[in-house]
Amino acid sequence: YVAAMRIFFDALWSLAPEAESMIRSIQTGEPSQEIITYMTNEEYTKLFRDMIRKATKTVDIMANDPTALPLSLDEIEEITGKGVKTRVLTKTTSKNLPYLAKIAGEDIIIAENAASTDLILLTIDAKEALMNVPYMDLQKRTVWSNINAYVETMLLMFRDYWQLGQPIQEKLKQ
């Protein structure tokens, strides 16, 4: 019994946040660093919307199909307002190219994603990251985090894809 309780306690201890982090969170009002998985599409949609509303500087989105996002690019532009730079990496088709060309502008920059991925990635202000795997119906499919290392990793991945991408203006010239 004692050995089992020790294993249980050690497992709980390893998952517990550091007291300093919690105290700093209470003092500053900033959320503690954490990673959370979500099960339902409703949770994912609400979190996506909430993150877009919180953005004050940057929004980075990677999605093969922009219509698979919980918000249209028009809605994202309307919610974020002027001054929030939004970069969107997506696949262009003859069907969505006119829409993407119309929405692309000073605050929304769109590029053709050179790589093919089913992941949907959203980062805001280099502070939070949301990754969704749309086809994983039976598993926890959405991961949100504000852990610096996780967000930086997701941003690094996005930047690598962005560097390989082709700006929509170049795509229109073809």
Side-chain angles (χ1 to χ4, degrees):
Y1 175 79
V2 172
M5 287 291 100
R6 178 66 184 187
I7 291 169
F8 175 70
F9 178 79
D10 287 344
L12 284 177
W13 185 263
S14 70
L15 295 173
E18 293 181 23
E20 290 174 8
S21 171
M22 297 304 293
I23 291 168
R24 189 172 45 254
S25 172
I26 292 168
Q27 289 173 335
T28 64
E30 289 187 23
S32 59
Q33 293 199 348
E34 56 189 344
I35 189 166
I36 302 172
T37 55
Y38 294 90
M39 295 278 294
T40 68
N41 195 47
E42 291 77 22
E43 291 171 318
Y44 162 66
T45 299
K46 180 183 182 321
L47 190 54
F48 191 98
R49 287 176 183 270
D50 292 346
M51 285 177 67
I52 294 294
R53 283 188 189 104
K54 286 193 293 187
T56 59
K57 297 176 189 165
T58 61
V59 172
D60 291 329
I61 299 171
M62 182 171 62
N64 268 354
D65 180 5
T67 63
L69 297 172
L71 296 170
S72 71
L73 296 179
D74 290 312
E75 290 171 310
I76 291 170
E77 182 179 40
E78 184 179 317
I79 291 169
T80 57
K82 292 263 185 233
V84 177
K85 297 295 181 197
T86 301
R87 297 186 299 177
V88 180
L89 265 173
T90 191
K91 289 289 185 188
T92 58
T93 63
S94 57
K95 186 177 177 182
N96 71 11
L97 193 56
Y99 169 71
L100 295 174
K102 183 183 92 151
I103 193 76
E106 186 177 324
D107 288 328
I108 293 191
I109 305 161
I110 300 173
E112 169 84 18
N113 194 352
S116 182
T117 178
D118 289 333
L119 297 177
I120 296 175
L121 176 66
L122 168 66
T123 67
I124 62 159
D125 300 335
K127 293 181 180 179
E128 296 180 35
L130 179 68
M131 184 174 61
N132 180 266
V133 184
Y135 58 85
M136 293 182 65
D137 293 332
L138 302 176
Q139 299 178 13
K140 290 186 178 184
R141 53 193 241 156
T142 301
V143 177
W144 170 89
S145 184
N146 64 351
I147 295 173
N148 291 337
Y150 182 82
V151 174
E152 288 170 12
T153 301
M154 294 299 108
L155 282 170
L156 179 64
M157 180 179 73
F158 181 87
R159 288 179 191 130
D160 285 348
Y161 281 121
W162 186 260
Q163 287 177 347
L164 297 172
Q166 179 184 27
I168 194 83
Q169 291 79 4
E170 290 179 20
K171 185 78 175 175
L172 289 169
K173 293 176 186 175
Q174 295 177 348

